[in-house]
């Protein structure tokens, strides 16, 4: 199993990146999101998932573990193959995909090429619990974790979404300091992501 590839990107085309490792060029299928994180002739690390069929053996590369995890969750949904999963992640990246599932936003999913309403509904139904399994709200003052709250609570859902993207509880608590308690889940997640980027 190939876990990741690390080296210079020698070819970068729509849907394809070639990473040179030890004199060998490994071609990886990539999403538009990952492509936006790469630069030709600069070193990169791509986390790899393998797609093996009778007539093909493809490497699929992701610029982050978060995007790779979203892809791996997507292909567990009945009727969603590698191509459809990559189309969804290409249309908005792992953050927007996570938000779409957490908030039940079918439109965000159907914006991806080849994804219809029924498929979007199935993705939300099957993945919402897997992505939003944690419902503990955080005390944003920096104190201990607050008591569990109802799963519909925006702060709890934002916390779960951010944990799914790979952030630790301490990072989330810091990023959400000062957030409006009346904000929606999506607003809280965007606030936290902005705070982490500017850190």
């Amino acid at each position: 199993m190939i876990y990741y590839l690390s080296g210079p990107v020698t070819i970068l085309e729509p849907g394809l990146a070639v990473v040179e490792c030890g004199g060998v060029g490994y071609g990886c299928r990539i999403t538009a999101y990952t492509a936006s994180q790469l630069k030709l002739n600069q070193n990169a690390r791509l986390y790899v998932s393998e797609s093996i069929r009778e007539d093909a053996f493809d490497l699929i590369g992701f610029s982050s573990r978060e995007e790779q995890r979203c892809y791996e969750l997507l292909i567990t949904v009945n009727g969603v193959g590698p191509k459809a999963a990559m189309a969804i992640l290409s249309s908005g990246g792992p953050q927007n995909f996570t938000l779409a599932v957490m908030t039940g936003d079918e439109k965000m999913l159907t914006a991806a090429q080849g994804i219809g309403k029924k498929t979007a509904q199935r993705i939300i139904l099957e993945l919402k619990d897997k992505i939003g399994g944690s419902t503990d709200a955080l005390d944003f003052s920096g104190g201990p974790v607050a008591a569990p709250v109802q799963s519909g609570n925006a702060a709890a859902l934002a916390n779960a979404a951010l944990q799914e993207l790979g952030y630790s509880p301490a990072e989330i608590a810091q990023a959400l300091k000062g957030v409006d308690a009346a904000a929606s889940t999506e607003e809280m997640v965007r606030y936290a992501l902005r705070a982490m980027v500017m850190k």
Side-chain angles (χ1 to χ4, degrees):
M1 180 182 76
I2 298 174
Y3 190 81
Y4 67 78
L5 299 171
S6 183
V9 178
T10 56
I11 296 174
L12 185 58
E13 299 174 352
L16 174 71
V18 176
V19 178
E20 185 175 329
C21 303
V24 179
Y26 291 88
C28 295
R29 297 189 182 280
I30 57 171
T31 64
Y33 175 83
T34 286
S36 71
Q37 311 297 308
L38 304 177
K39 290 187 178 178
L40 191 62
N41 299 321
Q42 290 194 9
N43 285 341
R45 172 177 289 181
L46 290 181
Y47 295 92
V48 174
S49 291
E50 298 171 346
S51 175
I52 303 172
R53 305 187 305 276
E54 283 186 13
D55 58 344
F57 176 25
D58 293 327
L59 300 180
I60 303 172
F62 304 95
S63 60
S64 69
R65 281 285 293 124
E66 293 76 30
E67 188 185 23
Q68 184 186 41
R69 172 155 169 72
C70 289
Y71 167 83
E72 290 173 350
L73 283 171
L74 274 165
I75 61 174
T76 66
V77 177
N78 186 36
V80 178
K83 187 176 179 180
M86 292 182 73
I88 291 169
L89 293 171
S90 286
S91 70
Q95 293 90 351
N96 284 343
F97 164 69
T98 301
L99 279 174
V101 174
M102 295 290 293
T103 60
D105 189 346
E106 295 174 17
K107 289 184 179 178
M108 194 180 293
L109 296 175
T110 55
Q113 185 176 2
I115 303 301
K117 186 174 181 179
K118 286 186 178 179
T119 301
Q121 290 172 338
R122 191 181 309 123
I123 290 168
I124 292 167
L125 179 66
E126 293 189 25
L127 298 185
K128 193 161 190 175
D129 287 343
K130 293 180 181 178
I131 287 178
S134 172
T135 57
D136 290 349
L138 292 176
D139 178 351
F140 300 136
S141 66
V145 175
V149 297
Q150 295 300 313
S151 60
N153 182 281
L157 291 174
N159 175 38
L162 290 162
Q163 285 193 33
E164 197 62 35
L165 291 171
Y167 295 107
S168 70
E171 288 174 320
I172 295 168
Q174 183 65 31
L176 285 173
K177 276 186 177 178
V179 71
D180 183 355
S184 68
T185 298
E186 182 173 348
E187 288 167 341
M188 287 186 179
V189 172
R190 292 193 187 284
Y191 178 95
L193 291 172
R194 279 197 300 271
M196 290 176 188
V197 168
M198 295 175 66
K199 191 166 62 164

